[in-house]
Amino acid sequence: MHRSATDPRPRVLHLTQPVGGGVARVVLDLTKAQLTAGLRVTVACPGGELAEGARALGAEVRGWRADRSPGAGLPDEVRRLTRLLDEVRPALVHAHSAKAGLAGRLAVRGRVPTLFQPHAWSFEAVGGATAALALRWERWGARWAHRVVCVSEAERATGVRAGIRARYTVVPNGIDTGHFTPGNRPAAAPLVVCVGRLCRQKGQDVLLRAWPEVLRRVPDARLALVGDGPDEAALRRLAPASVEFAGAVTDVRPWYRAADLVVLPSRWEGMALAPLEALACGRPVLVTDVDGARESLPPGHAAHCLVPPGRPGALAGAVAALLLDPELRASLGGQGRRHVLSTHDVRRTAEAVAELYRELLGGRPLVSFECRESIHS
């Protein structure tokens, strides 16, 4: 049941595309915390698991048809969003990831408090002229964000180096430490697990190129790729028989708990959730030195758990060394669990975002959102 227009509580609009993976997890965690705190929450997205999850939590969900990447349909997407904003009349708009950040800022243009959370910068995901256009937009669009929320200090620093002049706030990613907990690992051959969308960003191709060297040093090792995505067919062509494609799963915890080592060989990130989840389950992680990686790790772990991105040889050496040292893995896993409990609990993240909302909304009456003019005006 929708609240009446006279309900005095602020309405937050979360706007997002994509609707799966880590971005959806962050939006759902924030939605849950904000509903519990008494805010009215609307989630606008193109459907998918995010819409289903938000409805299950009790949020209002509005369909917003939008492709994942910018294209010729962008003007229509912005017009649809403009109409949606006029109907929802949010007190604050929180736009997640590059596409929603683009369309959302074009539709709102600063009329109400607007947060943009990139979840990794768009210009890192592309190359050539497309990267240059993405960077130009991020520099221009920053004027329409009352705050840019970065999930790591490294992500903020990347934006600053790129010339994006904005008011930044760093809120590290958090995970539900009551959901992701340690469990017994079944006795079996050494297992490496990689959790993530099968795409260039996550770097599974680098891991597969490293895998023959891992097998040379640890012949009975197995690798499981958990997730689906556009690169699955190409990755299968690279994979030997010791690699399992587990597909998308509704509960990833059994895979973390079965792992001897969790690896995320990303080419870029803001701060990935998978390493935090694995650490919360008491498993050691090996990650590439991209934005947010060092900040995810406990102090002292970088020497064993961090490698340069895009280098199969370095990755293979680190994987094999950890698989051959069970005492070190056990120590790293225990330290990781304690680190996540103290630093990356989702309740800390939700409270930091709530404080930011209070700052942007504090002392002012709720805004009646009027946004009827054309995006070309």
Side-chain angles (χ1 to χ4, degrees):
M1 179 183 296
H2 300 320
R3 301 275 179 174
S4 72
T6 59
D7 192 324
R9 298 173 303 158
R11 179 177 293 281
V12 172
L13 173 66
H14 287 285
L15 174 67
T16 183
Q17 166 61 295
V19 295
V23 175
R25 186 84 53 78
V26 169
V27 174
L28 289 174
D29 284 341
L30 290 175
T31 296
K32 181 178 180 180
Q34 290 160 9
L35 288 169
T36 300
L39 291 176
R40 294 184 294 162
V41 179
T42 298
V43 176
C45 64
E49 65 183 70
L50 174 57
E52 295 173 5
R55 285 193 188 95
L57 290 172
E60 178 187 21
V61 176
R62 295 294 190 100
W64 171 54
R65 287 189 292 114
D67 292 331
R68 185 164 180 143
S69 300
L74 178 63
D76 286 338
E77 293 168 350
V78 175
R79 290 189 188 96
R80 287 193 289 271
L81 183 55
T82 298
R83 291 192 294 269
L84 186 152
L85 289 163
D86 189 42
E87 295 169 2
V88 173
R89 294 181 295 169
L92 181 146
V93 173
H94 192 155
H96 298 265
S97 208
K99 180 57 179 293
L102 170 61
R105 283 178 286 175
L106 284 172
V108 180
R109 282 182 283 177
R111 293 175 176 86
V112 298
T114 303
L115 285 77
F116 168 51
Q117 190 163 349
H119 300 279
W121 293 104
S122 58
F123 50 84
E124 294 188 297
V126 289
T130 305
L133 286 172
L135 179 55
R136 284 183 61 188
W137 156 251
E138 293 296 356
R139 289 171 175 167
W140 178 263
R143 70 192 61 201
W144 289 326
H146 293 79
R147 201 64 55 90
V148 173
V149 181
C150 292
V151 296
S152 64
E153 178 58 35
E155 185 182 49
R156 184 201 67 82
T158 295
V160 171
R161 286 195 303 269
I164 300 168
R165 302 178 62 183
R167 294 188 66 194
Y168 291 93
T169 296
V170 176
V171 180
N173 271 338
I175 54 103
D176 184 344
T177 56
H179 181 75
F180 292 98
T181 57
N184 293 327
R185 184 192 176 277
L191 175 63
V192 174
V193 171
C194 178
V195 174
R197 188 167 183 259
L198 302 182
C199 63
R200 183 175 181 275
Q201 177 191 2
K202 299 300 181 179
Q204 291 96 345
D205 61 310
V206 182
L207 179 55
L208 289 175
R209 290 187 172 93
W211 194 244
E213 175 60 20
V214 174
L215 290 177
R216 189 185 70 79
R217 296 180 59 183
V218 190
D220 59 342
R222 297 174 300 130
L223 171 62
L225 302 183
V226 182
D228 56 14
D231 289 359
E232 180 172 347
L235 293 172
R236 284 184 178 276
R237 289 193 290 270
L238 289 173
S242 58
V243 177
E244 176 181 355
F245 286 78
V249 297
T250 56
D251 186 358
V252 74
R253 290 174 297 175
W255 284 103
Y256 289 136
R257 292 166 181 162
D260 291 279
L261 178 65
V262 175
V263 178
L264 189 65
S266 302
R267 288 182 166 90
W268 69 89
E269 294 283 356
M271 176 181 280
L273 291 179
L276 300 177
E277 295 168 352
L279 290 172
C281 290
R283 295 299 182 259
V285 300
L286 177 64
V287 294
T288 44
D289 194 3
V290 294
D291 284 359
R294 289 179 181 268
E295 295 165 66
S296 299
L297 296 173
H301 277 220
H304 305 287
C305 303
L306 200 66
V307 295
R311 290 179 52 184
L315 184 61
V319 169
L322 285 166
L323 289 181
L324 293 169
D325 194 337
E327 291 185 3
L328 176 60
R329 292 200 314 272
S331 175
L332 293 173
Q335 293 171 31
R337 169 72 180 171
R338 293 190 292 273
H339 172 71
V340 170
L341 286 172
S342 65
T343 309
H344 292 288
D345 191 294
V346 72
R347 291 169 294 186
R348 295 169 62 98
T349 301
E351 179 52 37
V353 171
E355 181 59 33
L356 184 55
Y357 286 6
R358 286 191 287 267
E359 178 185 339
L360 295 179
L361 292 172
R364 69 176 70 184
L366 295 184
V367 176
S368 177
F369 196 103
E370 298 294 342
C371 185
R372 298 183 182 278
E373 55 188 335
S374 163
I375 65 169
H376 301 294
S377 62

